[in-house]
Amino acid sequence: MKFLPYVLQHLRRSWIRTASTVAGMALCVFLICVLQTVLAAIESSIAGASPSRLVTRHAVSLTFNMPLAYKARIQAIDGVDRVAISNWFMGVYRDMKDFFPNFAVESEDYFAMYPEIRVPPDQMQAYLQDMQGALIGPDIARKHGFRIGDQFQMESVIPPYRVRGPMTFVVRGIYGAAPGREGSVNMTTMYFHYRYLYETIQGAEGVGDYAGAGTFNLQLRDPDLATAVMRAVDTNFENSDVQTKTETEGAFLSGFISLVGNLAGLLGAVGLAVAFTILLVTANTMSMAVRERRTEIAVLKTLGFSGGRVLALVMIEAAALGVLAGALGVLLAQALVGGLADLPFMGLLLGNFPALRVSPPVAGFTFTVAVVLSLGAGFVPALTAYRGRITEMLRHA
Amino acid sequence: MATVQVENVRKIYTRDTQTIVVLDGISLEVPDGEFVALMGPSGSGKTTLLNLIAGIDRVTSGMIRVGDTTVTGLSDAALAQWRSRHVGFVFQFYNLIPVLTAVENVELPLLLTRLTKRQRRERALTALRIVGLADRAKHYPRQLSGGQEQRVAIARAIVTDPSVLVADEPTGDLDAASAEDILTLLDTLNRDFRKTIVMVTHDPRAAARAHVERHLDKGVLAASVERHVPASRDAHEVPA
């Protein structure tokens, strides 16, 4: 500890370089932290999926809908307790930058199978009784100032869903999360009645199978029946024009996420590139610091500082940079990550994940990465200082 | 008993395919409490000899003994520890750490000891008092004149109370008045604190302050000039 003031004074000497290095590293740490947070949110979403819920979709692609008649046939399969249609509406409120996820659902069945979504009974009653009713997440209400009874319009970007122009909705409820399930409920989603969507577009030219079901969400009597039910559903429609693909909710979410490519792989690759940047930035700074201080290192050694102690001093300096940048980057991420979902286009992706906040494990991991990389980057310059011969360093000063 | 014994020391540098013999079988004895000036033209090997005595360079062959320690037989780590306790080095260009104040610079070698922070600070201030710069303790090197910087460097060299002081052209970067002050200070340290001093210099006036002048030429010791040494010496240690 007695050497720490000495190290810190050195960092203060070239404060512009120190500050710019720390700022550059902090930005990298911030990026890693955000990427890790998004990955954690994805994993949390998948982990939050119930093993007793299945999702049936068009076998070819999520972008195709299935006939409504399938619902009764699925409902008849042994082990299926409940079935609810859910369609991705992709409606836009005001402008794309205000986008939030929105689904047309068969409300009674849907909310019965998602007990983690909590709606006050009076609001749920009002919602169920109003064809134009909408349930919104608290984050939407806060962002747009919606209150119960407010009316607003949305228009889908999917052509068959906009054949009749914008649709009008009335806020009838603001949902929350069941205690202990906060991390698995997305607070930025809007739900409305599938029947409203169906009756609005049905019969219009060009709608085709878009008046069908996007997905059937299945509630099982017993999670152990999942494999058998999945097989039974898909076998049931094997010889139909529209074949299905049934999977667990977790697998479905993973597949949905993979629509934007190998997101985890992409984020991992970006994180790796950013980490490498930290390594280069710190290595450059530490190399410059050691090169500039050859004489001082020679003096320290002359005074009796061993090579190991000089190596330790340089490593402490590198670690100090890592600690500063790590702390700054994590704090920055904690302050800004919540706002990412509000950004245009970013919201499209990130808005689907609940609990988009820097968790202690992610903060700890990112901070550790910053310090470890700094130590790694400082090692070669420290080794140079360790090995440097006093007379050589004095001569080339 | 000699404090410094140099026996048949050779130092050879190899640059690419070229071999340069810098010191060629040097033998030298510096008695305890002696003040020796090493003189000679550039490239004669005097700084190399000084570095070898101070233990910051290695001999190619031969032996160097300082006090009871055979310096040439020590490992790198042991040599570093030995330097911290037994040798004070004064550089031509002072080599103070610019981000540290005068007292922090002087305190630097004491970081290697088990002294408390308070003890370290007291010792450093005592050393600064000896060189007459106690009132500049909080000043940074850039706020001091060359002569004052060299005084701080000397305080740093004596703060651990080493038995041997080695000085590489300590007045080489100073004006005449400052150089005179530094030489007087070295003289005081030798006379009153009984420090053995080995000083490399080009300056005959500086060399004249030493008791013995040894001349090096092309890696070989040449003439020796001895002067009268004051009879009375009251030895002191740097007060703790």
Side-chain angles (χ1 to χ4, degrees), chain A residues 97-385:
Chain A
K97 69 179 169 52
D98 296 319
F99 181 83
F100 46 83
N102 44 83
F103 293 89
V105 298
E106 283 187 312
S107 301
E108 286 191 48
D109 286 325
Y110 187 87
F111 291 108
M113 67 172 74
Y114 285 89
E116 62 265 41
I117 300 175
R118 284 284 172 89
V119 186
D122 57 324
Q123 293 180 18
M124 179 56 95
Q125 194 61 29
Y127 166 70
L128 292 175
Q129 287 173 355
D130 184 355
M131 174 77 110
Q132 291 183 319
L135 285 180
I136 60 171
D139 290 355
I140 299 176
R142 192 165 41 248
K143 183 177 176 186
H144 299 293
F146 286 147
R147 285 177 301 183
I148 304 291
D150 283 356
Q151 197 176 68
F152 63 98
Q153 288 194 317
M154 286 178 82
E155 188 169 31
S156 174
V157 298
I158 301 171
Y161 290 162
R162 56 191 296 180
V163 286
R164 310 272 193 216
M167 291 174 69
T168 301
F169 300 95
V170 180
V171 177
R172 290 299 177 199
I174 298 172
Y175 66 80
R181 301 296 303 274
E182 292 81 1
S184 56
V185 175
N186 186 345
M187 299 299 186
T188 62
T189 302
M190 170 195 156
Y191 299 97
F192 64 98
H193 300 293
Y194 172 74
R195 195 156 48 93
Y196 179 35
L197 173 66
Y198 177 79
E199 289 182 5
T200 301
I201 64 171
Q202 186 205 20
E205 194 179 338
V207 169
D209 71 354
Y210 274 88
T215 62
F216 292 105
N217 294 30
L218 284 61
Q219 172 81 58
L220 301 179
R221 191 173 64 240
D222 180 351
D224 292 341
L225 298 172
T227 310
V229 172
M230 284 192 288
R231 193 180 301 121
V233 172
D234 293 342
T235 306
N236 208 310
F237 304 110
E238 207 169 36
N239 297 316
S240 308
D241 285 347
V242 176
Q243 289 153 12
T244 59
K245 180 177 180 183
T246 305
E247 52 203 343
T248 59
E249 197 176 60
F252 174 77
L253 284 171
S254 301
F256 180 74
I257 290 160
S258 71
L259 280 178
V260 290
N262 182 0
L263 194 61
L266 181 72
L267 296 182
V270 173
L272 202 66
V274 171
F276 189 63
T277 307
I278 292 184
L279 198 71
L280 292 181
V281 168
T282 321
N284 185 47
T285 300
M286 292 312 300
S287 297
M288 283 168 73
V290 168
R291 208 164 39 240
E292 278 177 6
R293 297 212 303 268
R294 290 168 67 92
T295 307
E296 284 174 35
I297 289 165
V299 170
L300 289 180
K301 286 186 164 184
T302 303
L303 294 178
F305 283 66
S306 63
R309 206 178 288 271
V310 170
L311 180 139
L313 286 176
V314 178
M315 293 298 277
I316 291 172
E317 198 170 321
L321 284 175
V323 167
L324 284 172
L328 189 64
V330 168
L331 286 175
L332 204 64
Q334 268 172 341
L336 299 179
V337 79
L340 284 178
D342 296 332
L343 295 177
F345 305 112
M346 286 291 279
L348 271 174
L349 174 66
L350 302 178
N352 289 308
F353 303 118
L356 196 65
R357 68 182 70 90
V358 180
S359 64
V362 166
F365 169 77
T366 316
F367 182 81
T368 308
V369 164
V371 175
V372 169
L373 284 177
S374 296
L375 286 173
F379 184 68
V380 172
L383 202 62
T384 307

Side-chain angles (χ1 to χ4, degrees), chain B residues 11-95:
Chain B
K11 179 67 183 175
I12 299 170
Y13 286 114
T14 305
R15 292 269 183 274
D16 301 322
T17 55
Q18 206 175 5
T19 300
I20 304 158
V21 180
V22 183
L23 296 176
D24 194 6
I26 296 275
S27 292
L28 170 74
E29 283 199 0
V30 181
D32 189 27
E34 189 63 278
F35 186 172
V36 176
L38 291 175
M39 296 193 73
S42 294
S44 60
K46 52 191 187 303
T47 294
T48 302
L49 179 56
L50 193 78
N51 291 342
L52 294 174
I53 291 171
I56 63 173
D57 203 356
R58 295 283 193 181
V59 298
T60 305
S61 65
M63 189 275 288
I64 295 176
R65 193 174 178 81
V66 178
D68 298 329
T69 309
T70 304
V71 178
T72 40
L74 296 176
S75 67
D76 284 349
L79 195 56
Q81 195 175 37
W82 174 81
R83 280 197 303 270
S84 71
R85 291 177 184 171
H86 299 285
V87 179
F89 204 108
V90 181
F91 300 92
Q92 179 181 357
F93 297 110
Y94 338 126
N95 286 340

Side-chain angles (χ1 to χ4, degrees), chain B residues 155-186:
Chain B
R156 182 178 64 186
I158 63 170
V159 75
T160 54
D161 195 22
S163 50
V164 180
L165 274 184
V166 292
D168 189 4
E169 308 228 25
T171 58
D173 197 44
L174 299 175
D175 59 57
S178 299
E180 190 57 31
D181 287 346
I182 294 299
L183 290 169
T184 302
L185 179 59
L186 290 176

